[in-house]
Amino acid sequence: MARQRLKPEELRSYRWFGGSDLAATGHHSRALQMGYAREDFLGKPVIGIINTWSDINPCHAHFRARAEEVKRGVWQAGGFPVEMPAIALAEPFQKPSTMLYRNFLAMEAEELLRSYPVDGAVLMGGCDKTTPALIMGATSMGLPFIYMPAGPMLRGNWRGEPLGSGTDRWRYWAELRAGQITEGDWQEVVDGIARSHGHCMTMGTASTMTSAAEALGLTLPGAASIPAADANHPRMATASGRRIVEMVWEDLRPSRILTAEAFDNAITAVHALSGSTNSLIHLIAMAGRAGVSLRLERFDQLARRVPVLANIRPAGQYLMEDFYYAGGLRALLNEITPLLNAGCLTVNGRTLGENIATAKIHNTDVIRTREKALSQSGGLAVLRGNLAPDGAVIKPLAAEPRLLKHTGPAVVFSDYADMRGRIDADDLPVDENSVLVMQNAGPLGAPGMPEWGQLPIPKKLLRKGVRDMVRISDARMSGTSYGTCVLHVSPEAYIGGPLALVRDGDLIELDVAARKLELKVSAEELAKRKAAWKPRPPHYARGYGAVFSQHVTQADQGCDFDFLHHGPPTPDPDTHH
Ligand code: FES
């Protein structure tokens, strides 16, 4: 049965602009002050365009122009666009980690939408944490919204060879340290690796999360794959602006889109893309905001049946620009339609199945068919054991296969500074069978759970030709990284998790096929060490850091703030003053 369209007086913004009392006319006068006429805003859906543009975020450098293009669509459809800037979360520059501020942006987005006369929103993000943050906040607010992804940057280039952001930076840095390339070569790599605006063009967290947003049904079909510099990108921005106005009239809220089945679609897409390990944390947090209970095991269950089809670095060969030309996410999803909940509703009012039905793969090396998959399963694996009672994560395809079942002695670093200070020391007692362990790099310990999980290979082993080792930490890892890195160990060392109890020389067993991560130390000995363990002092005595420290949850629960993912709905503000 067709749903009723809203009437103008049913718009949320009507409570600010409707009628002629003192409050309403006060709001009119201030809109008029900006040069708008009453015809511009009265009776029209007000569309908040949350823009994470900043001079410090290269991934969103095109967002000033894109915001205008979204507005063009809003005007065309009879809405009233209002651009609202929000914190940019620039991955390369913000320290100690943008993860410290993901929930900050989520709160900002939610409160912007709540406290202003907004009927619907276009969320402009792309650089890693901006996608989950904006979606978390807007989901909690519950108004109709469309996610507008920034789009990947163009391929990097060095002497005609394509370069992938992050992935090839780590690779050539290791070659420089091993003496295989010169300082001049390295500078050329630096010059060529980021050639246009847009987010990282490897299958890092940005491409993973924008693709997950599309699979959830939160973007226009095909939006996540369009390179930022392609003329189709501004057209998509304008189409997003047009569509959100209709979504408001249709009252198409995220509660109708963000179901458990939609999250399964997002996880399935992430696995087929061999997406970033960060997606587990973010999707768990996003699901929590939608009232969907999502546990790590669901990722593992789905990983076992989803083939990896995207041949994109770091797990594969190509980059997002190639992926777009090969048909993009719609083509990939069409190839795995039987594994999806095709009936899920999306922001364009049609189902995911309808949106992908006609998409074709144009290059079967970039987007593999199911028969020629990079791997028939296993984009990500969830590990458990006495070293990670609440779980840990590994991306098997980014690891050297021989290390996926490995037992070796631990070389322990008590934190990141300790690791940096000693990793290249000639007297570090390490060989290629060692297991590198870093403690105190988790949500509370670092703080902010930075992407330190790809511990560097010690220089003396690099010189011997070693390029991968088992590495274990409670940190995250950039989705653009690679190696046998066990991440997100929970509970983290800083709160006394078993990771805090590991000592040099302890044997650690990793068995990915058995989903096992075991510290080969007796329970009695571990109990003794636990009794002697002393917590480190808190990082923050005041400010946002103190709020973060008091309320952030562990990685297996999504690192959301405890007070944000439960509790009764927050009431709308009183507008009569
Ligand atoms: Fe922004 Fe990688 S730095 S997405």
Side-chain angles (χ1 to χ4, degrees):
M1 196 176 75
R3 287 179 177 248
Q4 293 265 309
R5 288 168 70 82
L6 293 187
K7 300 184 180 66
E9 58 274 22
E10 291 172 322
L11 292 172
R12 180 172 180 271
S13 59
Y14 188 83
R15 289 194 277 116
W16 275 261
F17 293 122
S20 54
D21 64 8
L22 181 65
T25 49
H27 298 141
H28 297 170
S29 72
R30 291 305 182 157
L32 296 163
Q33 180 185 3
M34 292 186 277
Y36 295 114
R38 288 180 178 78
E39 293 80 1
D40 288 326
F41 59 89
L42 286 184
K44 309 220 165 166
V46 178
I47 305 301
I49 301 168
I50 300 195
N51 189 352
T52 50
W53 175 88
S54 161
D55 262 338
I56 199 73
N57 194 335
C59 305
H60 300 175
H62 52 314
F63 270 10
R64 285 220 265 202
R66 288 297 176 277
E68 295 306 315
E69 285 139 5
V70 174
K71 286 179 198 173
R72 188 165 76 215
V74 174
W75 286 122
Q76 285 170 4
F80 179 52
V82 180
E83 187 179 345
M84 298 171 157
I87 187 172
L89 303 189
E91 199 63 29
F93 294 110
Q94 192 162 29
K95 310 295 177 190
S97 161
T98 50
M99 190 62 193
L100 188 70
Y101 297 101
R102 185 200 65 184
N103 298 345
F104 188 107
L105 174 57
M107 291 175 77
E108 186 181 14
E110 179 179 347
E111 299 306 327
L112 277 171
L113 298 178
R114 175 171 295 118
S115 56
Y116 287 111
V118 174
D119 297 300
V122 176
L123 312 176
M124 298 175 59
C127 192
D128 289 17
K129 314 300 179 294
T130 54
T131 301
L134 289 166
I135 292 173
M136 287 160 69
T139 300
S140 288
M141 184 52 203
L143 295 174
F145 72 84
I146 290 187
Y147 189 69
M148 197 222 77
M153 62 176 114
L154 299 176
R155 294 182 200 99
N157 177 60
W158 182 45
R159 300 178 181 169
E161 178 196 329
L163 291 177
S165 42
T167 307
D168 288 308
R169 180 170 157 254
W170 321 124
R171 195 184 311 281
Y172 283 109
W173 180 244
E175 296 305 327
L176 179 69
R177 291 169 71 232
Q180 296 298 310
I181 62 169
T182 67
E183 178 61 33
D185 294 337
W186 169 247
Q187 287 305 330
E188 287 182 23
V189 169
V190 172
D191 289 348
I193 203 162
R195 293 169 51 232
S196 78
H197 50 267
H199 61 67
C200 289
M201 72 319 226
T202 35
M203 189 44 69
T205 304
S207 302
T208 303
M209 292 310 302
T210 55
S211 300
E214 180 168 336
L216 277 168
L218 296 176
T219 75
L220 290 185
S225 308
I226 306 171
D230 192 297
N232 283 297
H233 197 271
R235 281 195 282 275
M236 178 272 292
T238 303
S240 298
R242 276 195 300 270
R243 175 61 195 155
I244 186 61
V245 177
E246 279 307 299
M247 279 179 73
V248 169
W249 290 124
E250 292 166 11
D251 202 23
L252 177 45
R253 292 174 183 259
S255 51
R256 290 176 54 204
I257 296 172
L258 294 176
T259 59
E261 291 73 25
F263 279 96
D264 275 357
N265 286 342
I267 298 167
T268 299
V270 167
H271 289 326
L273 293 165
S274 189
S276 163
T277 44
N278 287 322
S279 61
L280 282 81
I281 296 178
H282 298 319
L283 284 168
I284 287 173
M286 290 157 66
R289 297 302 189 96
V292 172
S293 168
L294 185 57
R295 291 175 47 79
L296 282 176
E297 271 57 35
R298 190 64 186 150
F299 291 82
D300 205 291
Q301 285 163 2
L302 294 176
R304 290 171 191 267
R305 67 171 212 199
V306 178
V308 177
L309 302 186
N311 188 7
I312 302 177
R313 297 178 206 189
Q317 221 184 319
Y318 295 96
L319 296 164
M320 286 301 285
E321 189 179 342
D322 308 299
F323 184 65
Y324 178 59
Y325 303 145
L329 184 68
R330 289 172 65 241
L332 177 140
L333 293 179
N334 194 15
E335 183 67 14
I336 52 168
T337 298
L339 301 178
L340 295 167
N341 300 301
C344 285
L345 184 63
T346 75
V347 288
N348 71 349
R350 290 193 276 275
T351 65
L352 182 69
E354 288 169 334
N355 287 342
I356 62 177
T358 57
K360 296 227 169 10
I361 299 174
H362 306 303
N363 181 332
T364 53
D365 194 29
V366 179
I367 302 176
R368 301 293 182 84
T369 58
R370 291 185 71 171
E371 297 71 42
K372 295 234 171 75
L374 259 65
S375 145
Q376 283 305 329
S377 64
L380 295 167
V382 175
L383 309 170
R384 287 193 192 258
N386 69 344
L387 190 50
D390 293 338
V393 178
I394 189 168
K395 189 171 182 177
L397 276 190
E400 284 189 14
R402 68 186 170 84
L403 292 171
L404 294 176
K405 185 169 169 56
H406 178 84
T407 302
V411 175
V412 182
F413 303 99
S414 60
D415 54 28
Y416 185 71
D418 181 34
M419 186 276 294
R420 276 185 62 114
R422 293 195 294 128
I423 191 80
D424 287 335
D426 285 335
D427 60 353
L428 186 74
V430 68
D431 66 24
E432 54 271 43
N433 293 316
S434 302
V435 173
L436 302 179
V437 173
M438 184 167 67
Q439 302 164 327
N440 293 303
L444 288 156
M449 206 180 179
E451 294 182 334
W452 293 339
Q454 187 197 29
L455 276 68
I457 304 295
K459 214 181 223 168
K460 66 181 184 185
L461 297 181
L462 277 176
R463 287 196 208 103
K464 281 173 63 183
V466 177
R467 291 293 183 273
D468 196 8
M469 297 172 71
V470 176
R471 292 160 263 184
I472 300 175
S473 73
D474 45 15
R476 295 176 301 116
M477 174 173 92
S478 164
T480 62
S481 300
Y482 53 90
T484 312
C485 302
V486 177
L487 310 158
H488 310 181
V489 170
S490 300
E492 62 174 306
Y494 184 84
I495 59 169
L499 188 68
L501 311 179
V502 186
R503 293 189 184 160
D504 282 332
D506 288 348
L507 284 181
I508 295 178
E509 182 193 1
L510 168 67
D511 185 344
V512 174
R515 302 295 195 262
K516 195 159 90 172
L517 185 65
E518 284 286 325
L519 179 60
K520 305 296 232 183
V521 174
S522 70
E524 296 74 40
E525 170 62 18
L526 288 178
K528 235 193 300 173
R529 292 184 192 177
K530 178 80 198 220
W533 176 80
K534 293 209 171 35
R536 294 182 160 209
H539 290 286
Y540 300 101
R542 62 168 299 282
Y544 173 76
V547 173
F548 180 92
S549 302
Q550 283 156 23
H551 295 288
V552 74
T553 59
Q554 290 288 288
D556 62 301
Q557 294 162 54
C559 297
D560 201 358
F561 290 161
D562 50 11
F563 62 85
L564 289 174
H565 71 239
H566 54 73
T570 308
D572 255 0
D574 181 353
T575 56
H576 293 99
H577 54 83

